[in-house]
Each structure stands twice: as structure tokens, then as C-alpha cells.
Amino acid sequence: MDVQIENSWKELLEDEFEKEYFKNLTDFVRQEYKTHTIYPPGKDIFKAFDLCPVDNVKVVIIGQDPYHGKGQAHGLCFSVKDGVKIPPSLRNIYKELNDDIGKPIPETGNIEHWAKQGVLMLNAALTVRAGNAGSHQGKGWETFTDAVIEKISNKKENLVFLLWGAYAQRKGQVINPEKHFILKSAHPSPFSAYNGFFGNKHFSKTNEFLKSKGLEEIKW
């Protein structure tokens, strides 16, 4: 199957694209785009991969579902397009960034610049119906993104995985802890941020680890 995704990912995932579940998933997603309003736009489904080739990946952030409001989702977990109101979870991420490393809170929710520095911002499901959270869960995306996580865990070493919340931590069970640096905390959602997301210092810890391995730090 010819999937429109960045070449290094196409090579790494080529066997996945030929599996029956992925063909069924593709049929489902195509039909959904024909019959409903689906986010993100089709060209942005694999944007997290397109902005962050395999060899560039240094950090992986695992989200759950694309934003389901108009104009929000653009293929990167937690990020929204310029000009879109900053969602609550991202506001809390910015608050922790400010507390942790003193970064001023940005006026835009677009964090593409993280991806371009090697942060793979991967949602578990890559599409969603407008206004219907979780509507594309259980259709095959989770199997695909589990494979992505497992393959880069096997292929690379010294990655930092940021697992925020129980869902991300369950997905992270395929990561090899002998090869990678895994940071876990509560999710940045307003419902859980005060249960351990605030004060986790994951941004400074990530950069300390990268520096210790002779890798360039992320300019958060």
C-alpha cells in the first residue's frame, strides 16, 4: 500500500502498511472522510512523522486522540494551529515549562518547532470525527501506533519517552527501558495536572539526559 508519509517512516513501517488491519483501517478512514467532517485534514494525518524523520527522533510524547473542535487538530498531539485558542492541557504544559525552565508562556498553541527538533508528538489514534471524542478509537490506529513505538524503541537508543497519564503509560509498555529514558507523570489535563504533572520537571530532565548523551537539547 502506498501511504503518503515521510520516506524514512515509510521504510520502517512498510510491513505494517501491508497488514490486514491497516488495510481495513484505511478503508474505514477513507469512508469517514467522505461522509463526515473528520479532523485533522487528510494531508495532516501523518504530520508528526513528516516533520520528524526517524533519524531525527530524540523525544517521544504520546497523546490519545486528536482535538475534535474545528480548526484545532493538525497532526501533532497537544498542538493546535496558530490563531486557535490554547487548549487547557497545553496551557498546563506551558505552565510547567515556565515553572521548570523559566520559558515565558507562548501566545500560540502551535508547537511544530518541537517536532522539527526531534520531538515525535504521537497520538494513539490519528483521526477523529468532528465533535465526537474517541470516535475513531478501536478501528486499528492503536495497533499501528503501538507498532510505531515498538519499532523505534527497537531501532534506536537513548530516546526520551514522556508518558503523561495512565493511557500513555500503558502504551509505553512496549518500550525497552534498558535502552531508553522513560519519564512518567500524571496527565496535564486540568482534571489531573495537580496530581503530579505540575512539578514533574520533565522538560529539564529531558534536556539533562540528552546533554549527558552528547545530543543537542530541545529548545522548548
Side-chain angles (χ1 to χ4, degrees):
M1 182 179 294
D2 185 28
V3 177
Q4 300 302 304
I5 193 171
E6 190 274 334
N7 283 338
S8 63
W9 287 106
K10 183 175 270 193
E11 189 176 323
L12 183 67
L13 299 166
E14 60 183 348
D15 59 331
E16 218 57 36
F17 296 143
E18 298 306 319
K19 291 181 179 176
E20 191 67 24
Y21 87 86
F22 194 85
K23 292 174 181 175
N24 293 338
L25 170 63
T26 302
D27 290 343
F28 166 76
V29 169
R30 282 182 180 147
Q31 186 62 27
E32 285 284 286
Y33 272 94
K34 285 178 186 172
T35 54
H36 297 86
T37 300
I38 304 299
Y39 299 132
K43 64 181 176 53
D44 289 340
I45 292 174
F46 295 112
K47 191 167 194 173
F49 303 89
D50 296 338
L51 293 178
C52 190
V54 173
D55 286 348
N56 293 7
V57 179
K58 295 190 283 192
V59 181
V60 181
I61 300 176
I62 298 174
Q64 189 163 354
D65 217 27
Y67 295 118
H68 55 84
K70 185 177 181 180
Q72 290 183 301
H74 66 138
L76 308 173
C77 69
F78 296 107
S79 183
V80 291
K81 296 177 183 178
D82 290 314
V84 174
K85 184 180 178 184
I86 298 172
S89 290
L90 183 55
R91 282 204 174 280
N92 287 338
I93 289 169
Y94 283 168
K95 185 175 186 302
E96 176 57 25
L97 259 174
N98 178 255
D99 291 345
D100 183 11
I101 62 172
K103 179 183 168 70
I105 292 177
E107 292 183 5
T108 177
N110 188 333
I111 45 179
E112 279 185 26
H113 64 285
W114 294 7
K116 292 171 182 174
Q117 295 176 77
V119 182
L120 179 66
M121 290 185 279
L122 181 68
N123 273 318
L126 300 188
T127 54
V128 68
R129 274 191 199 178
N132 192 351
S135 47
H136 285 189
Q137 290 177 7
K139 305 296 184 181
W141 278 130
E142 294 88 348
T143 304
F144 173 69
T145 49
D146 282 351
V148 170
I149 295 163
E150 188 165 15
K151 284 174 187 290
I152 55 169
S153 171
N154 292 340
K155 180 180 174 63
K156 296 177 71 82
E157 56 186 28
N158 297 327
L159 295 179
V160 182
F161 287 88
L162 303 182
L163 306 181
W164 298 334
Y167 185 88
Q169 288 161 29
R170 284 194 300 273
K171 271 192 93 65
Q173 289 173 354
V174 296
I175 302 162
N176 183 343
E178 307 287 311
K179 295 173 64 183
H180 304 290
F181 186 45
I182 301 171
L183 291 169
K184 301 177 183 179
S185 80
H187 193 276
S189 157
F191 299 108
S192 55
Y194 285 96
N195 294 332
F197 179 78
F198 290 137
N200 67 19
K201 300 196 179 299
H202 280 186
F203 303 102
S204 59
K205 287 176 181 176
T206 294
N207 278 347
E208 285 163 12
F209 177 81
L210 294 174
K211 190 175 180 180
S212 77
K213 298 299 178 182
L215 299 169
E216 195 170 341
E217 298 170 53
I218 306 296
K219 295 181 180 68
W220 301 105

